[in-house]
Amino acid sequence: MKAITEKIGKFDRKLLAQTLRGARLSTKTYPGLLVDTAYDDKGDVDRESYLVEVKDGKQVITKTLPPFSGPIN
């Protein structure tokens, strides 16, 4: 939300929602993001996901799943 608000230059709920649809945000352009993130035309998020298993009481990432829309860079 911070990246989109900065992009539009003010906080406006309707403009934010409109700008979010179809947005593709990369960590290269927005260093504060933890992962590259995209939003579809409905505003649903699409980003890398992780499969995690608990082994010896610790979480272990077993697989990284790419975003449905492909690489964001």
Side-chain angles (χ1 to χ4, degrees):
M1 298 304 146
K2 180 179 185 263
I4 296 295
T5 302
E6 289 176 354
K7 183 176 181 176
I8 60 177
K10 61 181 178 178
F11 182 75
D12 178 316
R13 291 183 324 165
K14 290 182 181 181
L15 184 57
L16 185 130
Q18 180 182 0
T19 305
L20 197 63
R21 290 183 180 93
R24 299 177 68 78
L25 307 169
S26 74
T27 56
K28 291 178 184 175
T29 306
Y30 300 96
L33 290 177
L34 298 177
V35 295
D36 293 340
T37 306
Y39 294 87
D40 66 13
D41 60 341
K42 296 175 186 170
D44 293 327
V45 70
D46 182 18
R47 64 176 171 243
E48 193 172 73
S49 299
Y50 306 95
L51 288 178
V52 178
E53 290 182 18
V54 177
K55 295 182 181 178
D56 298 322
K58 297 181 181 180
Q59 296 177 2
V60 178
I61 296 173
T62 58
K63 189 169 185 176
T64 301
L65 306 170
F68 287 115
S69 61
I72 294 173
N73 298 338

